[in-house]
Structure formats: C-alpha cells, structure tokens
Amino acid sequence: MPHISFSELKIWNECPGKHKLVYLDKIDSFKGNEHTAFGSAVHSTCEQLVENNIKNSEEYFQEQFLKELRELPKDLDLNKNLISDMRSQGQMLMKYVLPVLKEYFGDYSLVSVEERLFEPIADYKDYNFKGFIDLVLKTSDGKYHIIDWKTCSWGWDSRRKSDRMTTYQLTLYKHFFGLKHKIESDNIETHFALLKRTAKNNNAEIFKVTSGNKKTKNALKLLNKSLYNLNKKSYIKNRLACHGRFGT
C-alpha cells in the first residue's frame, strides 16, 4: 500500500526535486558514515536496555557499533580518530540511559519499543503514514509518553529545539499513535531524548515537545500538501535548498 514516512516528508519539504531523485529515480549517493553507524548502535543499545535484555550495555554498544561500521561501503574513507572517540563516547553514554528516564518520568511502565506506525491518512485513505517510535512509556497518571532518541555532539540550542520540521516528527507520531490505539491526544505527550557525545555535562537530556490542535492541524496540512503534489507529479526544484550532491 502506498505510504509516506516523516523522513520522506522532510525531504519533500526541503525540495520536491530532491524527493524525486531519492524516492522515484532512486538516486542517492549517501550510504552512511561514522555518525549514522554511531546513531544506529546507540538506538539499538537503548532498545535493549529499556527491555532489560542485556547485562553489559557498554559491551553491547561496542559490538553493535563495529557491526554498523562493517556494513558501510568498503570504499568509504572513515575517520579512525573519530571512530575511536565515538567508541569511548558511546560507552560513556550508555550509563545515562536508564537513570535519565527514571529521573525525568519517575515511576513508569514500558509500553513498546520500536513501535511501528502504518496508519491511514484521513484525506488520502489510499496512503498510510509509516513510522517507528523509538520508545513509548506510560506513567502513573495514565499518560502515554512518546520518546525519540537523538544522538548529537554537544546538544541542541533553543532554535533547534523549537524548529518546525524537527518537532513535526513527534507531532505526527503523536497523532497517528493516538489513532492507532484510540487514545485521546490529551493523554499523549512527546519528548526528544538527546544523548550528547561531546558535552562536558548533562550528557543525557530529555525535553518535552508540545503539540496542540493548531500545530497538529498544520503538520497534517503539510502532509496532505505533499501527497497532493506527489499525486500531481509536481517536482519543482527548490534551488535555495537543493545543493551538494543533488544540486546543479
């Protein structure tokens, strides 16, 4: 069944021409790097930690990071010094994962990890919204909490934390999670959890992202606009945004 993910929506919003190259023409030279390998290893370790599946998270992270690096293209010029730093940084970050969840949420129960969304879009019922929620917790007040892990260097500034497209990810996750489970939006809260490689302190930070009716309406409007234009095969290049490997 036709579907659209948030990452696809984000690329379309950046440049419809770039979207065509990546999703229709299948032209995408980016195959990953040290940062994507690190992020994947961290996400996998966080998943195993909250499910209580591993005893040694530091060892598990090392194994996953090396596995992700081995799966990168062989001709990729990797930065060995950066990889060495990341190995120690990732190992350090793992000790903060469970404590920061406990400190921020208090008593909670695990609802799901890597929960799949594949829900119909109201105005385009032949399309589904596809996504994977990193973590869903439920607190003693009955609220559900959607958490998305993000790895970064030193952290996010206030502009990044409030950036429209960045936060729309959680807005859409909240909307479609609610539809999937028939949960009222007032009983769902959303959060980014930052794991910071190079920060001198506060290496793990969770902050709430609010998504009221107006913001949800705007996010869905953008989603519907993208599908309308994709169905019309409108792929006008945004020359201010399309640059680098997709530029002219």
Side-chain angles (χ1 to χ4, degrees):
M1 186 172 182
H3 59 268
I4 186 170
S5 65
F6 175 75
S7 58
E8 184 176 352
L9 172 64
K10 188 176 181 181
I11 288 178
W12 178 87
N13 183 69
E14 179 184 341
C15 176
K18 177 179 176 180
H19 176 279
K20 179 179 182 294
L21 290 174
V22 174
Y23 287 94
L24 294 182
D25 301 337
K26 307 299 182 182
I27 300 173
D28 187 359
S29 60
F30 182 70
K31 303 300 181 183
N33 56 25
E34 301 93 334
H35 294 278
T36 59
F38 180 82
S40 296
V42 167
H43 274 71
S44 177
T45 311
C46 289
E47 176 182 337
Q48 296 300 316
L49 267 174
V50 296
E51 289 189 305
N52 197 30
N53 288 336
I54 53 177
K55 294 181 179 180
N56 190 327
S57 61
E58 298 173 0
E59 181 179 297
Y60 183 85
F61 164 77
Q62 296 290 348
E63 293 172 352
Q64 291 300 304
F65 187 36
L66 293 177
K67 173 178 174 291
E68 294 291 339
L69 289 171
R70 285 194 295 268
E71 292 178 358
L72 293 174
K74 303 302 181 185
D75 59 349
L76 194 62
D77 186 20
L78 298 176
N79 185 326
K80 293 182 179 180
N81 290 331
L82 176 59
I83 290 173
S84 178
D85 289 341
M86 285 179 163
R87 291 187 67 175
S88 59
Q89 290 161 353
Q91 186 169 309
M92 172 270 298
L93 287 173
M94 290 308 101
K95 67 183 181 182
Y96 294 112
V97 172
L98 295 180
V100 75
L101 291 174
K102 178 66 176 177
E103 179 182 356
Y104 188 87
F105 293 106
D107 292 331
Y108 64 81
S109 59
L110 176 64
V111 176
S112 62
V113 170
E114 280 293 297
E115 176 165 347
R116 184 175 187 262
L117 297 175
F118 202 74
E119 306 307 308
I121 299 169
D123 293 337
Y124 287 87
K125 293 188 183 300
D126 54 338
Y127 271 86
N128 279 13
F129 178 82
K130 180 182 179 181
F132 289 90
I133 301 175
D134 288 343
L135 176 63
V136 182
L137 304 177
K138 187 176 183 180
T139 46
S140 55
D141 58 2
K143 290 188 180 295
Y144 292 83
H145 301 269
I146 292 172
I147 299 107
D148 191 80
W149 297 106
K150 296 293 186 186
T151 55
C152 55
S153 54
W154 59 271
W156 289 2
D157 58 20
S158 58
R159 180 179 297 181
R160 178 70 187 279
K161 288 181 177 180
S162 60
D163 176 72
R164 182 188 68 143
M165 282 307 297
T166 299
T167 58
Y168 272 1
Q169 178 184 6
L170 289 180
T171 301
L172 292 171
Y173 282 3
K174 173 181 176 177
H175 174 75
F176 289 105
F177 176 82
L179 290 179
K180 177 181 179 179
H181 295 286
K182 297 180 174 57
I183 301 172
E184 293 293 331
S185 61
D186 289 346
N187 289 325
I188 306 171
E189 295 183 352
T190 55
H191 316 264
F192 279 122
L194 304 183
L195 295 175
K196 311 171 192 177
R197 293 190 300 108
T198 63
K200 298 188 183 301
N201 51 57
N202 195 26
N203 292 90
E205 176 191 1
I206 301 177
F207 65 92
K208 183 178 177 181
V209 174
T210 57
S211 296
N213 291 334
K214 183 177 180 180
K215 187 175 181 181
T216 301
K217 182 179 179 180
N218 288 339
L220 291 172
K221 182 178 179 180
L222 179 64
L223 182 64
N224 290 331
K225 181 181 177 181
S226 71
L227 293 175
Y228 174 83
N229 283 278
L230 291 176
N231 284 329
K232 292 288 186 181
K233 301 187 184 302
S234 176
Y235 304 113
I236 299 173
K237 176 180 266 191
N238 178 357
R239 296 188 179 278
L240 295 177
C242 276
H243 51 77
R245 64 183 186 280
F246 294 104
T248 57

